[in-house]
Amino acid sequence: MDEEKPETPAPDTRSVEQIRKDRNRVLGLGLAAFVVLVFFISIAKMG
């Protein structure tokens, strides 16, 4: 009986530092977008 083993995903070849940098960049952009959104909402409510 040939049992098929489920394919295991290939190990990530990126270094931990590269993964951390990418994640921090995404979080930073998300935070910046949130700040801009709050700023424009505040301006709209004042005007």
Side-chain angles (χ1 to χ4, degrees):
M1 289 186 188
D2 291 329
E3 292 183 17
E4 289 186 29
K5 293 182 181 177
E7 290 185 23
T8 57
D12 200 351
T13 57
R14 297 182 301 169
S15 69
V16 174
E17 286 185 27
Q18 184 63 39
I19 294 170
R20 189 176 295 140
K21 282 182 184 180
D22 291 343
R23 185 179 60 215
N24 286 343
R25 186 173 293 123
V26 169
L27 285 172
L29 289 173
L31 179 60
F34 177 72
V35 168
V36 169
L37 181 67
V38 169
F39 173 75
F40 283 119
I41 290 173
S42 299
I43 294 298
K45 285 187 177 247
M46 282 191 233

